[in-house]
Amino acid sequence: MSRASRRGQGRRAAPRGAEADAAAEVVERLAVLLDAGIAPVSAWGHAAASTRSAVAREVAAGLRSPVGIPAAVEAAVAPGSAGELSRLDWLPLAACWRLVAELGAPMAASLRALAEALRDLGDAAREIEAALAGPRSSARIVLAMPPLGLLLAGALGIDALGALVSGPAGWACALAGSGLLLAGRGWMSRLVAEASRSAGLPGLPLELAAIAASGGAAPDRIADRVTSTLREAGLPGPDEGERRELEALLELAAAAGIPVGSLLRGEAAAGRRRARSRARGVAAQLGARLMLPLGLCVLPSFIALGVAPVVLALLSSTGELW
């Protein structure tokens, strides 16, 4: 196993949104440095030295020429690397840099727009994390109820655990309760995972389209150029709906004679707001959806593992059952 792979496996996940903020900070500083006439490789060195981001430092350490910047960013967050957890936060920079270099778009202005988009994504991630914190805590507390029932019985001097392993009735309760608890845990974990699933990078195709337009790309080629750039960076291209939206915006700008870049960036920001609103709605619904595994699995498990053994132990101690 490579050293980078070991670092990646040992690294703890940073709070959601933290790495997006770090990426936005580096991108903003790169824009300022490049605007001041600093060469790209030197700008990366200065920006990396002034941040705590391990990804930025790894990119700067491996740079030899401006041409290799997108590849260096992609390598720093490649699967198995220390920055793998930050792929969605840094790959937009690789896509942006590649597109700007190919089309000759203004680098500093493009990076500033990207920094703003990354900050927006970081804010959205933190809002969603806060909305999910309550349901996640509730799920953990509920799943602890059956084992706590056994511990409470033991604290009261009732050998509930012994009752679970001392006869057919106890074994039946143990098997049924354990099975229900595992099923409830898996069900709850799936619900939380679905609610926590990232919406990806909403608005990024439109941001890149605005950069392509500022570089003078032909309107009828912008969608194809954005798609190929995203895929080269290891990101999914725009889906059918995003592509239709992009083409409609390009047609609107051409028909109305308005700057297409401002229109695309405005719609990109609106797309991020819509994605944030949808994610908050899903997080709000999670509390109600957790009631199903609670009622069908966890509470019966609590009865089988926490209540029935107490009854069996009490009956056993009075000689009414055994």
Side-chain angles (χ1 to χ4, degrees), residues 82-111:
E84 180 180 0
L85 297 173
S86 308
R87 285 182 63 77
L88 289 182
D89 300 311
W90 286 95
L91 286 180
L93 174 55
C96 175
W97 200 287
R98 181 177 279 112
L99 191 62
V100 168
E102 289 176 357
L103 297 176
M107 179 68 79
S110 300
L111 291 179

Side-chain angles (χ1 to χ4, degrees), residues 227-275:
T227 299
S228 62
T229 300
L230 285 169
R231 289 175 178 168
E232 287 171 10
L235 292 168
D239 59 29
E240 186 177 347
E242 290 174 326
R243 192 176 177 101
R244 282 200 304 268
E245 181 183 14
L246 172 55
E247 291 171 350
L249 290 171
L250 292 171
E251 291 176 3
L252 171 60
I258 58 176
V260 67
S262 299
L263 181 62
L264 290 170
R265 288 197 171 98
E267 289 298 320
R272 289 193 293 272
R273 288 194 295 270
R274 289 193 295 269

Side-chain angles (χ1 to χ4, degrees), residues 162-176 312 321-322:
L164 282 176
V165 297
S166 61
W171 281 111
C173 289
L175 290 174
L312 292 174
L321 183 63
W322 307 110

